[in-house]
Amino acid sequence: MTTTDTTLTFDDAIAAYDPLLGFEVHVELSTNSKMFCGCPTEFGAAPNTQVCPTCVGLPGSMPVVNRTAVESTIKIGLALNCEIASWCRFARKNYFYPDMPKDYQISQYDEPLCSDGYLDVDVVDADGNHQNVRVEIERVHMEEDTGKLLHTGGDTGRIHGADYSLVDYNRAGVPLIEIVTKPVPGTGALAPEVGRAYVQALREVVKSLGVSDVRMEQGSLRCDANISLMPKGSPVWGTRTETKNVNSFRSVERALRSEIIRQSNVLSSGGTVVQETRHFQETTGDTTSGRVKSDAEDYRYFPEPDLIPIAPEKQWVDELRAGLPEAPGLRIARLQQEWDLSDFDMQSVVNAGALELVVATIEAGADHSAARKWWLGELTRIANSQGTSLAELAITPAQVARLAELVDSGTLNDKLARKVIEGVLAGEGEPDAVIESRGLAVVSDDGPLLAAIDEAVAANPDVVGRITGGKPQAAGVIVGAVMKATRGQADAGRVRELLFEKLGVTPE
Amino acid sequence: MSSQTSISTEQVAHLANLARMTLTDDELTRYADQLDHILHAVARVGEVAADEVPAMSHPQPMVNVWREDVVTPGLSAEDVLAGAPAAEDERFRVPRILDGE
Ligand SMILES: [Zn+2]
């Protein structure tokens, strides 16, 4: 074997090999109670306080299926264009590991609740062109989450070298959905982006259904990314690795990229890729070797004798299908068209986390350009400076809509509107209350304006001369002086109008 | 279905390994023989089951028994840990999982 360290770059790897992708995504459902018992599912409770005989596997306890968890799984399946099984069973997956107190996990094996679907994802290639990639879904099945282990002793808190482990079963039995794709061929250099876009699109779909909070950082959405390489044009698939611990969209992309580079170097130096689990390292962006798949992984699945089959009635499935929200990808495309935005502008709205806020502001009466302007402008600036998100700002879409209305009617100018935002965020009440208490309304009575104009005209005879002499653009000086005298509370357009009226000049 | 079921000592050794049991060679041979008898007995059921009798995993012809998504009281940490061989920091304490690899 002629090993010459890492010599192939990502581009070299893609020139020589075709990547084949596959994803297994686990989603924790946000039901009130667990999959097979009535224990609560809240994240972050004190250890072993959300447990009962069933979820710690005490003798004599029996599981009973949570109907809402089945319903949520069907919704996910439908949103991913899957077939819903008319009859299916749970199965026992047997293994010895203390994260499951029963020594088996209740899962589904050869009879998943949902199968044969797809999700279309949008990626942008090197030339800036959008490409649609259809990711085929093999199956969506139900199972239960495991407990959490804490490895003690040793040096790093890792399982290797630990003296013993501590187990918290709060999470054991929380409804978990596994979404498995079919192999995704033909993505070439876009493979890492496709991976990221798939997980991102999947998260949006599940989020739109309201069945999970899908927070990668809290582990309610977890992604395992499979990848193998085959020499270009080869009909034979290579040996795949499965990378775990990929905790963000960006990590999915980085993990695939680094695994493509690693495998291509193994292969090009005459080595063989070992079928194994690898762990993504957030700090280095590399994957490290984990468990080698072996005979020991014989789970002896068999139908769960303590549960009877699930047979969703057609009418129920039809009702759920009819109640599905618009698919997120289609919705964005529709809104982009309605708002007449470029790809770039629409992407800005989405990236700013402003989509729902803008939609709600429009629903509250604002037009889309005003809604976008406030959320992406002043409010984004404030959110950034406070290190928070738009959704967490203490201002509602209805308040922003009211603000836009007040600007539109001339009661506020932009500068005053920003002061109103400041007041609302400071907890001074509704925009109208802030205007009232801070005395912020634009001066609309012409009387004080005319007085201020008279003063400014008297103070600037040379400017007046230029205006009347055919240079109406010089009016800015007078308008500025009036705005200054009224401390910004005048409507500049009205001041200009009154000035021209007084001087008997017709602008343009 | 044929009744040629026979189980090797290698298969018994594999099952013993999966079940974390240490068996002697004598035991492997003895259990292979016993399991063989059991499998043959079960296989006879297959001989009488006609094609129209579907395989079943549950004796009751029922589907869709479920509960509404409602939280019910469980055990306190104190109670759930009371039967644990060892506990620490309100958690079950279990022996080292991987031998120093
Ligand atoms: Zn429980």
Side-chain angles (χ1 to χ4, degrees):
Chain A
M1 187 159 99
T2 54
T3 306
T4 42
D5 276 79
T6 305
T7 48
L8 296 191
T9 62
F10 179 77
D11 290 342
D12 298 337
I14 293 301
Y17 300 98
D18 283 325
L20 188 69
L21 304 174
F23 303 93
E24 285 165 31
V25 172
H26 285 91
V27 172
E28 253 185 19
L29 297 179
S30 54
T31 49
N32 300 316
S33 64
K34 291 188 181 180
M35 186 77 211
F36 303 113
C37 64
C39 290
T41 56
E42 255 145 77
F43 181 82
N48 294 306
T49 54
Q50 302 185 152
V51 290
C52 74
T54 302
C55 57
V56 293
L58 296 185
S61 61
M62 289 287 267
V64 187
V65 175
N66 182 335
R67 184 178 185 276
T68 302
V70 175
E71 182 169 287
S72 299
T73 310
I74 295 175
K75 283 184 188 170
I76 292 174
L78 290 172
L80 295 174
N81 309 290
C82 289
E83 309 273 332
I84 308 302
S86 57
W87 189 91
C88 66
R89 287 178 294 188
F90 286 97
R92 280 192 189 178
K93 178 182 181 179
N94 299 279
Y95 66 89
F96 284 104
Y97 198 69
D99 63 357
M100 279 317 279
K102 301 189 292 292
D103 280 345
Y104 59 84
Q105 179 190 33
I106 303 179
S107 181
Q108 291 194 288
Y109 183 51
D110 49 356
E111 297 168 4
L113 182 54
C114 323
S115 57
D116 294 320
Y118 62 85
L119 179 61
D120 285 333
V121 302
D122 182 67
V123 282
V124 179
D125 66 19
D127 302 325
N129 297 319
H130 285 263
Q131 291 206 11
N132 182 65
V133 177
R134 174 157 292 188
V135 177
E136 311 241 16
I137 307 291
E138 166 96 26
R139 55 190 280 149
V140 178
H141 75 244
M142 297 178 281
E143 58 188 34
E144 53 179 338
D145 211 344
T146 59
K148 271 188 185 159
L149 297 177
L150 210 67
H151 303 298
T152 303
D155 46 354
T156 53
R158 294 184 52 203
I159 188 167
H160 291 277
D163 294 328
Y164 59 91
S165 301
L166 298 174
V167 199
D168 169 12
Y169 287 124
N170 283 347
R171 200 180 64 182
V174 169
L176 195 66
I177 300 308
E178 183 172 340
I179 301 158
V180 183
T181 68
K182 290 182 181 163
V184 185
T187 54
L190 285 174
E193 284 85 354
V194 168
R196 181 226 276 259
Y198 167 69
V199 180
Q200 219 159 1
L202 186 59
R203 179 177 185 273
E204 287 307 314
V205 167
V206 175
K207 202 172 161 212
S208 76
L209 300 169
V211 298
S212 167
D213 42 18
V214 281
R215 296 174 72 158
M216 286 186 102
E217 74 286 2
Q218 286 189 357
S220 54
L221 186 151
R222 311 197 278 269
C223 174
D224 300 340
N226 297 327
I227 189 161
S228 65
L229 298 183
M230 45 191 170
K232 269 221 174 315
S234 163
V236 184
W237 292 355
T239 304
R240 72 192 171 102
T241 60
E242 178 180 358
T243 302
K244 290 189 177 289
N245 199 23
V246 196
N247 294 326
S248 69
F249 300 135
R250 197 166 153 260
S251 299
V252 176
E253 194 173 332
R254 290 171 75 206
L256 288 172
R257 207 180 164 81
S258 98
E259 197 48 20
I260 287 172
I261 295 171
R262 188 191 69 83
Q263 288 188 16
S264 70
N265 281 284
V266 169
L267 294 171
S268 70
S269 60
T272 47
V273 173
V274 178
Q275 185 173 352
E276 63 182 348
T277 299
R278 299 186 64 85
H279 295 281
F280 180 65
Q281 305 298 329
E282 200 68 56
T283 44
T284 59
D286 293 333
T287 68
T288 55
S289 179
R291 210 154 31 99
V292 174
K293 302 260 178 187
S294 70
D295 295 354
E297 244 172 63
D298 178 345
Y299 295 121
R300 292 153 294 145
Y301 283 97
F302 61 86
E304 168 57 63
D306 287 345
L307 291 169
I308 57 162
I310 302 286
E313 282 166 23
K314 187 177 179 302
Q315 193 195 339
W316 185 30
V317 174
D318 287 345
E319 276 169 26
L320 294 175
R321 190 191 316 258
L324 286 185
E326 188 179 8
L330 298 178
R331 178 166 174 253
I332 288 174
R334 174 178 60 80
L335 291 172
Q336 180 178 353
Q337 199 169 22
E338 277 176 26
W339 299 347
D340 194 22
L341 297 186
S342 65
D343 286 354
F344 179 83
D345 285 343
M346 193 64 198
Q347 206 52 53
S348 309
V349 177
V350 174
N351 292 347
L355 186 65
E356 300 312 321
L357 296 164
V358 169
V359 168
T361 305
I362 294 167
E363 275 167 8
D367 70 46
H368 63 78
S369 59
R372 270 197 312 124
K373 173 183 140 181
W374 289 110
W375 285 109
L376 286 143
E378 180 68 3
L379 291 166
T380 292
R381 190 188 64 73
I382 293 171
N384 289 344
S385 74
Q386 295 180 356
T388 181
S389 67
L390 283 179
E392 277 165 89
L393 288 179
I395 189 164
T396 64
Q399 289 167 333
V400 174
R402 175 64 183 151
L403 199 71
E405 189 186 349
L406 290 166
V407 171
D408 208 36
S409 68
T411 308
L412 295 176
N413 55 27
D414 283 4
K415 187 177 159 200
L416 292 172
R418 285 196 287 274
K419 288 208 162 18
V420 174
I421 289 175
E422 190 185 293
V424 172
L425 292 175
E428 294 169 25
E430 293 297 314
D432 292 279
V434 174
I435 291 168
E436 176 82 28
S437 63
R438 291 196 177 194
L440 292 176
V442 169
V443 175
S444 55
D445 180 5
D446 290 346
L449 287 188
L450 288 169
I453 290 169
D454 285 344
E455 250 176 67
V457 165
N460 298 284
D462 51 328
V463 179
V464 172
R466 275 194 280 150
I467 298 169
T468 53
K471 289 198 158 44
Q473 59 270 33
V477 178
I478 306 280
V479 175
V482 172
M483 295 305 287
K484 194 173 171 196
T486 56
R487 295 200 311 274
Q489 286 177 256
D491 175 348
R494 183 67 186 145
V495 172
R496 187 178 297 267
E497 250 171 51
L498 291 170
L499 174 65
F500 289 139
E501 225 168 81
K502 179 183 169 67
L503 299 178
V505 173
T506 316
E508 288 151 318
Chain B
M1 189 184 286
S2 87
S3 52
Q4 280 185 333
T5 318
S6 80
I7 187 161
S8 66
T9 50
E10 286 75 28
Q11 283 171 305
V12 178
H14 176 61
L15 288 173
N17 181 40
L18 289 172
R20 304 294 189 269
M21 293 167 75
T22 308
L23 298 183
T24 64
D25 286 351
D26 276 357
E27 285 170 324
L28 287 178
T29 317
R30 183 150 37 101
Y31 292 141
D33 187 46
Q34 288 181 1
L35 286 168
D36 219 30
H37 278 89
I38 294 168
L39 290 176
H40 273 98
V42 174
R44 293 189 62 189
V45 176
E47 288 168 17
V48 296
D51 286 348
E52 71 270 21
V53 180
M56 61 204 290
S57 58
H58 200 278
Q60 302 296 330
M62 301 162 72
V63 293
N64 299 341
V65 173
W66 37 45
R67 29 174 283 277
E68 293 307 313
D69 181 25
V70 175
V71 171
T72 52
L75 299 170
S76 66
E78 193 186 6
D79 284 344
V80 80
L81 292 167
E88 188 176 311
D89 293 339
E90 306 294 290
R91 293 172 172 89
F92 290 85
R93 179 178 162 153
V94 298
R96 168 205 301 252
I97 296 168
L98 294 183
D99 287 329
E101 287 179 16

